[in-house]
């Protein structure tokens, strides 16, 4: 196997995934407030030798569409009920052995000391399987939940995130790997010369250190990011080791792949150390027509207004004030600019109205749907993997855990038969699975290297 394909599963610790229809699907389990649900998904993906299970997270009930909380609560729109993924992941560390556990934490609403502590702890409890999806958060409602009147501006959030990561890296490095002595006979617990204060005082944060959590198996979590604006992509190119991407078109995915890899080189990094993971929703059937029936059944359950509520949350822009039957307008949004650009691009290309975009958003936040027999789905993955759009894929479920069961039982063996995907784990940490070398605790290159002719 030359270049290795990577696979991850996507969840929100809640009743839905990217698909709003997921919770209404008769095949979906309904006990997503209980640990067994997450255990079943994680163990299934581990049986399928997946690299990691990924948890997205949002920090507010959706109120961005017409400032109305009743409609999203009634229809179960994304983020209307979520539990804390860090605690879910800590539970999963106990019932899995190999699969990576990636959770989302915001650099806008937490403090680096707290976040460094959470991930240091998770990395210990999981034996080196922790990853952090670094997000800058999306909307005003989240600000209001965390004591602020206004959400920080888009680029300011990234400025804060930059300092956040620098501080977190220094905290993770505050314990040298061999600082814990634990010598019962001499009574020496730790070597104080190997535990360092951090004494950081910057624009956004002050912290003294050291971290209370000793050096962890991976030194720090794997860094995942999902920025889609130009400043977001630069942030990813600097820091991320995996990037989570949403783009429904192969040409968009190829352009994103090239763009990010070249930004990583501009920062003096080896582009192979930044793995790109587009996401898709699979519909697998014994025949293509069975798969298409499954897709149509699922898509029919998606409610366009719920989709527009989620679009409003993601972009931090109120789409309730526009004509549902007109094309989506070109507005400047303070939330996720890249996802809005994708919506606009689709709308122009396919002549879609705002209602159509709402429907697509409810079916899966503009994720592509890969539909067909196990062989046809493996073909699409292979094509994208070899065709310059992906180092791996994040699977999002149309129904959970059914989508993951189908994929692991039917598509993974086909990918393995083709020599594309591992038949067993060869290492124990998430860094091992992703083929990343030892983690550096030096903040990634900060200055941009401009190439000759660029
Ligand atoms: C594919 C994708 C997934 C994201 N997942 C989350 C998430 O789970 N939680 C969150 O608060 N923000 C999430 N974000 C928001 C980003 O982290 C970022 O804060 C926001 O998109 C603004 O940056 P951008 O304009 O560079 O995309 C996601 C964005 C994208 C594009």
């Amino acid at each position: 196997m030359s270049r290795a394909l990577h696979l991850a599963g996507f969840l929100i610790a809640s009743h839905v995934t990217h698909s709003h229809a997921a919770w209404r699907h008769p095949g979906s389990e309904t006990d997503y407030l209980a640990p067994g649900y997450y255990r079943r998904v994680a163990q299934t993906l581990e049986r399928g030798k997946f690299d990691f299970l990924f948890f997205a997270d949002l920090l507010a009930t959706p109120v961005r569409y017409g400032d109305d909380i009743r409609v999203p609560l009634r229809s179960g729109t994304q983020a209307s009920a979520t539990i804390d993924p860090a605690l879910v992941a800590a539970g999963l560390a106990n019932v899995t052995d190999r699969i990576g556990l990636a959770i989302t934490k915001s650099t806008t609403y937490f403090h680096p000391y707290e976040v460094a502590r959470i991930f240091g702890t998770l990395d210990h409890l999981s034996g080196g399987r922790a990853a952090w999806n670094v997000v800058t958060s999306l909307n005003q409602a989240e600000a209001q939940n965390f004591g602020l009147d206004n959400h920080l501006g888009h680029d300011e959030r990234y400025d804060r995130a930059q300092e956040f990561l620098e501080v977190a890296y220094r905290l993770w490095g505050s314990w040298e790997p061999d600082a814990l002595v634990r010598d019962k006979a001499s009574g020496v617990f730790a070597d104080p010369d190997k535990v360092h204060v951090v004494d950081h005082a910057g624009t956004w944060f002050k912290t003294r250190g050291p971290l209370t959590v000793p050096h962890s198996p991976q030194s720090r979590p794997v860094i995942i990011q999902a920025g889609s604006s130009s400043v977001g992509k630069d942030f990813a190119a600097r820091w991320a080791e995996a990037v989570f991407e949403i783009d429904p078109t192969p040409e968009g995915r190829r352009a994103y792949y090239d763009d990010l890899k070249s930004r990583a080189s501009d920062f003096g990094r080896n582009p192979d150390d930044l793995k790109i993971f587009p996401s898709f929703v699979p519909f697998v059937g014994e025949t293509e027509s069975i798969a298409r029936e499954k897709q149509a059944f699922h898509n029919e359950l998606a409610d366009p207004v719920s989709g527009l509520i989620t679009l409003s949350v993601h972009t931090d822009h109120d789409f309730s004030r526009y004509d549902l039957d007109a094309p989506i307008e070109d507005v400047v949004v303070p939330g996720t600019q890249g996802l809005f650009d994708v919506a606009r691009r689709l709308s122009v290309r396919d002549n879609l109205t705002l209602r159509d975009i709402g429907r697509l958003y409810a079916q899966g936040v503009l994720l592509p749907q890969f539909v067909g027999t196990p062989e046809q789905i493996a073909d699409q993955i292979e094509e994208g993997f070899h065709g310059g759009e992906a180092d791996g894929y994040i699977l999002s479920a149309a129904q959970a855990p059914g989508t993951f069961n189908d994929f692991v039982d039917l598509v993974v063996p086909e990918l393995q038969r083709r020599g594309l995907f591992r038949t067993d784990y060869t290492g124990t940490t998430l860094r091992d699975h992703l083929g990343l070398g030892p983690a550096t605790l030096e903040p990634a290159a900060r200055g941009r290297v401009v190439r000759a002719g660029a």
Side-chain angles (χ1 to χ4, degrees):
M1 205 188 290
S2 45
R3 187 171 152 250
L5 174 75
H6 301 285
L7 290 174
F10 174 95
L11 279 185
I12 305 174
S14 78
H15 58 298
V16 292
T17 57
H18 289 104
S19 158
H20 166 247
W23 83 266
R24 294 186 60 201
H25 197 289
S28 283
E29 288 191 17
T30 51
D31 56 353
Y32 38 76
L33 299 176
Y37 170 73
Y38 301 100
R39 185 182 68 237
R40 285 188 284 284
V41 170
Q43 290 179 342
T44 298
L45 296 181
E46 190 167 67
R47 181 163 58 79
K49 315 298 175 199
F50 272 47
D51 293 70
F52 60 92
L53 171 57
F54 176 101
F55 287 92
D57 197 23
L58 295 168
L59 301 170
T61 317
V63 288
R64 198 64 182 93
Y65 189 79
D67 200 22
D68 178 7
I69 203 169
R70 296 178 60 83
V71 176
L73 281 175
R74 180 180 285 279
S75 57
T77 304
Q78 185 188 90
S80 53
T82 52
I83 56 175
D84 191 316
L87 298 176
V88 175
L92 291 177
N94 219 18
V95 293
T96 54
D97 290 318
R98 288 286 184 272
I99 190 162
L101 300 166
I103 57 171
T104 297
K105 283 284 166 199
S106 167
T107 53
T108 301
Y109 296 116
F110 302 105
H111 190 280
Y113 197 90
E114 182 190 4
V115 170
R117 206 161 175 256
I118 289 171
F119 283 99
T121 304
L122 185 62
D123 205 44
H124 277 295
L125 293 182
S126 63
R129 295 184 282 136
W132 173 19
N133 179 37
V134 179
V135 298
T136 58
S137 290
L138 295 162
N139 60 58
Q140 188 72 4
E142 295 176 308
Q144 288 165 350
N145 283 348
F146 284 83
L148 299 175
D149 291 332
N150 290 309
H151 196 34
L152 284 177
H154 182 271
D155 292 4
E156 240 182 332
R157 297 201 297 272
Y158 276 111
D159 187 52
R160 181 182 154 110
Q162 173 74 12
E163 188 180 323
F164 198 115
L165 277 257
E166 285 167 13
V167 178
Y169 270 49
R170 293 188 60 201
L171 288 166
W172 287 317
S174 61
W175 282 70
E176 292 183 28
D178 56 351
L180 257 192
V181 178
R182 290 188 284 200
D183 185 343
K184 289 185 180 177
S186 66
V188 176
F189 177 72
D191 181 346
D193 293 336
K194 294 183 174 171
V195 183
H196 309 285
V197 294
V198 160
D199 271 340
H200 175 86
T203 312
W204 298 97
F205 307 108
K206 265 176 97 166
T207 189
R208 180 173 171 186
L211 200 62
T212 60
V213 182
H215 189 95
S216 74
Q218 291 185 118
S219 304
R220 59 166 171 80
V222 170
I223 303 292
I224 302 181
Q225 206 262 354
S228 52
S229 62
S230 184
V231 56
K233 285 188 278 195
D234 268 351
F235 185 85
R238 264 186 183 130
W239 294 99
E241 292 160 316
V243 165
F244 165 29
E245 178 209 1
I246 296 180
D247 196 301
T249 65
E251 56 283 6
R253 295 194 288 273
R254 280 195 295 273
Y256 184 87
Y257 189 94
D258 291 344
D259 186 7
L260 266 231
K261 296 275 178 175
S262 99
R263 285 177 198 248
S265 314
D266 287 351
F267 281 111
R269 294 181 62 200
N270 178 351
D272 289 344
D273 291 341
L274 172 58
K275 310 287 182 199
I276 315 262
F277 283 81
S279 191
F280 69 87
V281 185
F283 292 92
V284 192
E286 291 79 357
T287 65
E288 187 180 334
S289 67
I290 292 174
R292 297 233 168 262
E293 268 172 39
K294 287 186 181 178
Q295 178 193 31
F297 179 80
H298 165 269
N299 287 350
E300 201 49 44
L301 292 173
D303 162 34
V305 170
S306 237
L308 291 176
I309 296 171
T310 303
L311 178 68
S312 299
V313 166
H314 288 180
T315 55
D316 200 18
H317 185 83
D318 183 359
F319 282 96
S320 71
R321 42 184 145 118
Y322 299 98
D323 179 357
L324 282 180
D325 295 311
I328 187 166
E329 282 191 31
D330 190 7
V331 287
V332 175
V333 299
T336 307
Q337 292 173 356
L339 278 180
F340 181 68
D341 293 343
V342 172
R344 280 265 312 152
R345 190 151 42 86
L346 268 192
S347 156
V348 171
R349 190 194 71 175
D350 298 342
N351 211 12
L352 302 179
T353 64
L354 187 59
R355 190 194 306 276
D356 296 329
I357 291 292
R359 188 172 294 108
L360 284 177
Y361 226 85
Q363 286 165 2
V365 185
L366 309 178
L367 259 60
Q369 299 184 334
F370 286 9
V371 191
T373 61
E375 294 73 22
Q376 288 172 315
I377 297 206
D379 287 345
Q380 292 179 75
I381 292 171
E382 187 166 7
E383 215 174 288
F385 177 63
H386 287 316
E389 68 176 54
D391 298 309
Y393 286 94
I394 297 192
L395 272 69
S396 191
Q399 52 157 312
T403 298
F404 297 125
N405 295 341
D406 286 353
F407 193 90
V408 165
D409 291 334
L410 302 169
V411 183
V412 167
E414 179 59 25
L415 294 170
Q416 291 169 330
R417 199 185 57 72
R418 296 180 188 197
L420 278 173
F421 191 57
R422 65 173 73 86
T423 51
D424 206 351
Y425 294 107
T426 51
T428 56
T429 69
L430 177 54
R431 296 193 76 80
D432 292 337
H433 308 338
L434 290 171
L436 298 167
T440 164
L441 282 166
E442 286 302 307
R446 307 215 195 119
R448 178 151 209 167
V449 180
V450 180
R451 287 162 299 166

